[in-house]
């Protein structure tokens, strides 16, 4: 029943596509995070001229499916001769670049709201305390607001990161040969859909498991104040003895 | 002018088909929400159960269906279902390939994913129901089913509503992926319109705008349902 040589061969081919999936994931998550920081700052600025555009951006990118955003960027923009003759064409012609950009634009909208929640959770007294000793501007953000906000936002952001790993599969629909794309190509040659898709599913599960562990580790490192204190009395008794 | 004609309702206009596509998207999502409600309740019950095996199975379900790309789940259900259906047809002496109906496989696939998310929503809501209320109901001798109907279900629904609104939005957007099986929902219709007129930009913008209409209108429905719930349960935040 189990065709082990076929499964091993499929696994080898799919694993060869993992770097493409990881590149899509890494580039789009980091690009999206930079975008999200900007959008979140605009949202909390209190200035309507900054807040409104950020709000509109988040509404559009969270309210429509990523697939249609990706198709709009890849097929939609190339329709115009002006785009085809512009400096941006080498980028917009490339399916990998298009997929990465649309993934980043989409996650930017979701992550902006997560970061905004984190920033709003920073207690006012901490900011006041920092201001009262003369801290302001970049230093205030770097030392007080950003670390507390990040700690608050991390659990929600880890969910968004896992969703992004899964979203990279959509790149296969604009002909990027990442794991799902390669899986489809193998199926087109062998007609054995179930075995190949199950192998691909396994790869995504393992990837997500590893990424979830890494985020959990970061969360642990960032919250020493929530851990129980090391048992000093036990150590003291041991020393005395 | 020509653009208006293309997205309008006259001859050569794609308006009617796009609206039909949006209705199909809504129908798939509604079906998925229903499938997910049944699966989610079962999985949440399994995850809260005293039996270790049931807990492991429940955890496995949510881990798998929240960890595998939606697109793969849709492919798996569509192709897997068709393979199963063909085998079944052969058993009854029918020849040839039997495909899954795209609507059924789409609602089932998105529903299976929805179930994984809904299970977490129901589990959290159940844990938020006051223990004292359950004990009180038991103390006056309420049988299990009555207790579920009068005490557990209304409160779980109330606590679950915001989470369900989130799951609904997720499903609505996931349903766009069902287009890969050829179902003429909004995404697929936009693709067809774009392809046959070569006005890709126009039709993807219009399709995206229709998705925005769907997500914001249904978001408003959930908001007002929440407001109504808050009125029938005039209490502070959570239980008190």
């Amino acid at each position: 029943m189990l065709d082990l040589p076929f499964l091993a061969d499929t696994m080898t081919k799919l694993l060869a596509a993992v770097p493409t999936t990881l590149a899509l994931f890494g580039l789009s998550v980091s690009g999206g995070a930079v975008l999200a920081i900007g959008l979140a700052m605009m949202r909390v600025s209190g200035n309507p001229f900054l807040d409104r555009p950020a709000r509109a951006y988040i509404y559009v990118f969270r309210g429509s499916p990523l697939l249609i955003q990706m198709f709009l960027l890849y097929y939609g923009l190339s329709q115009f001769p002006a785009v085809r003759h512009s400096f941006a064409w080498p980028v917009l012609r490339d399916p990998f670049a298009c997929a990465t950009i649309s993934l980043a634009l989409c996650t930017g909208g979701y992550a902006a709201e997560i970061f905004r929640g984190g920033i709003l959770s920073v207690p006012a007294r901490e900011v006041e305390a920092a201001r009262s000793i003369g801290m302001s501007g970049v230093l205030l953000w770097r030392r007080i607001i950003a670390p507390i906000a990040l700690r608050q936002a991390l659990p929600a952001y880890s969910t968004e990161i896992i969703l992004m790993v899964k979203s990279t599969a959509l790149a296969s629909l604009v002909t990027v040969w990442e794991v799902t794309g390669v899986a489809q190509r193998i199926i087109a040659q062998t007609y054995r859909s179930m075995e190949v898709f199950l192998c691909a599913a396994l790869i995504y599960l393992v990837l997500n498991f590893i990424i979830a562990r890494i985020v959990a580790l970061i969360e642990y490192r960032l919250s020493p104040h929530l851990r129980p204190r090391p048992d000093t009395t036990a150590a003291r008794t041991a020393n005395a003895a | 002018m020509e653009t208006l004609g293309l997205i309008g309702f006259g001859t050569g206009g794609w308006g009617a088909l796009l609206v039909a596509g949006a209705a199909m998207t809504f129908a798939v999502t509604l079906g998925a929400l229903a499938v997910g409600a049944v699966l989610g309740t079962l999985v949440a019950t399994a995850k809260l159960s005293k039996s270790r095996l049931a807990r492991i199975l429940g955890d496995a379900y949510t881990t798998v269906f929240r960890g595998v790309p939606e697109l793969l789940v849709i492919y798996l259900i569509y192709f897997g279902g068709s393979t199963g259906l063909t085998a079944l047809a052969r058993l009854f002496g029918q020849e040839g390939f039997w495909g899954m109906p795209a609507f059924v496989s789409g609602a089932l696939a998105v529903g299976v994913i929805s179930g994984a998310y809904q299970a977490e929503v129901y589990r959290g809501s159940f844990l938020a129901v006051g223990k004292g209320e359950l004990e009180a109901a038991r103390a006056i001798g309420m049988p299990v089913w009555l207790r579920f109907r009068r005490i557990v279900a209304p409160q779980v629904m109330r606590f679950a509503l915001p989470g369900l609104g989130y799951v609904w939005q997720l499903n609505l957007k996931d349903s766009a992926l069902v287009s890969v099986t050829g179902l003429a929902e909004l995404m697929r219709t936009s693709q067809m319109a774009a392809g046959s007129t070569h006005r890709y930009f126009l039709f993807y913008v219009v399709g995206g705008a229709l998705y925005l209409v769907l997500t914001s209108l249904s978001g408003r429905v959930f908001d007002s349902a929440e407001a109504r719930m808050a009125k029938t349960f005039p209490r502070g935040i959570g239980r008190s």
Side-chain angles (χ1 to χ4, degrees), chain A residues 23-102:
Chain A
L24 274 170
F25 166 74
L27 289 172
S28 58
V29 164
S30 38
V34 173
L35 180 66
I37 291 170
L39 286 166
M41 302 275 255
M42 285 164 79
R43 286 284 276 118
V44 299
S45 68
N47 179 345
F49 290 102
L50 292 173
D51 181 38
R52 285 281 168 76
R55 235 180 238 268
Y57 181 95
I58 291 163
Y59 172 72
V60 167
F61 280 89
R62 291 204 314 173
S64 58
L66 169 60
L67 186 59
I68 213 160
Q69 295 165 18
M70 204 180 269
F71 276 32
L72 183 60
L73 190 75
Y74 186 61
Y75 297 108
L77 285 184
S78 59
Q79 177 197 326
F80 301 110
V83 173
R84 284 202 298 273
H85 295 115
S86 76
F87 69 95
W89 185 234
V91 172
L92 290 174
R93 187 176 58 184
D94 178 33
F96 180 86
C98 274
T100 309
I101 293 170
S102 55

Side-chain angles (χ1 to χ4, degrees), chain A residues 118-190:
Chain A
I119 294 170
L120 291 181
S121 79
V122 177
R125 58 170 189 274
E126 313 245 349
V127 179
E128 278 162 18
R131 279 196 207 286
S132 71
I133 58 162
M135 207 187 268
S136 67
V138 178
L139 196 65
L140 175 70
W141 275 90
R142 194 161 60 84
R143 288 230 183 116
I144 311 292
I145 300 176
I148 300 176
L150 183 66
R151 201 152 63 197
Q152 285 292 333
L154 212 52
Y157 192 53
S158 70
T159 311
E160 172 60 20
I161 287 178
I162 300 290
L163 287 178
M164 281 301 284
V165 177
K166 298 197 289 169
S167 298
T168 58
L170 298 196
S172 66
L173 297 176
V174 291
T175 67
V176 177
W177 300 115
E178 41 65 75
V179 174
T180 306
V182 170
Q184 274 179 295
R185 194 155 59 176
I186 299 173
I187 289 163
Q189 292 158 357
T190 62

Side-chain angles (χ1 to χ4, degrees), chain A residues 11-22 177-183:
Chain A
M11 231 16 181
T12 325
K13 282 183 189 150
L14 290 180
L15 283 174
V18 167
T20 312
T21 289
L22 283 179
W177 300 115
E178 41 65 75
V179 174
T180 306
V182 170

Side-chain angles (χ1 to χ4, degrees), chain B residues 40 44 47 58-59 62-63 66 115-125:
Chain B
K47 288 185 88 151
D59 283 336
T62 47
T63 311
R66 292 196 308 167
Y117 287 92
Q118 285 190 45
E120 299 294 2
V121 172
Y122 295 142
R123 193 174 65 93
S125 311

Side-chain angles (χ1 to χ4, degrees), chain A residues 59 62-65 68 71-72 75-77 79-80 110 163 166 169-170 172 184 193-194 197 201 204-205 208, chain B residues 66-72 75-76 79-80 117 173 177 187 191 198-201 204 207-208 211-212 215-216:
Chain A
Y59 172 72
R62 291 204 314 173
S64 58
I68 213 160
F71 276 32
L72 183 60
Y75 297 108
L77 285 184
Q79 177 197 326
F80 301 110
Y110 285 92
L163 287 178
K166 298 197 289 169
L170 298 196
S172 66
Q184 274 179 295
S193 51
M194 290 310 276
F197 279 142
Y204 282 104
L205 275 180
N208 275 331
Chain B
R66 292 196 308 167
V68 172
E70 296 80 5
L71 190 61
L72 270 180
Y75 282 137
L76 274 169
F79 289 112
Y117 287 92
K173 284 173 273 171
L177 305 183
M187 180 74 215
Q191 258 175 294
H198 293 285
R199 302 287 292 269
Y200 295 92
F201 189 80
Y204 288 136
Y211 272 107
L212 278 180
T215 48
S216 41

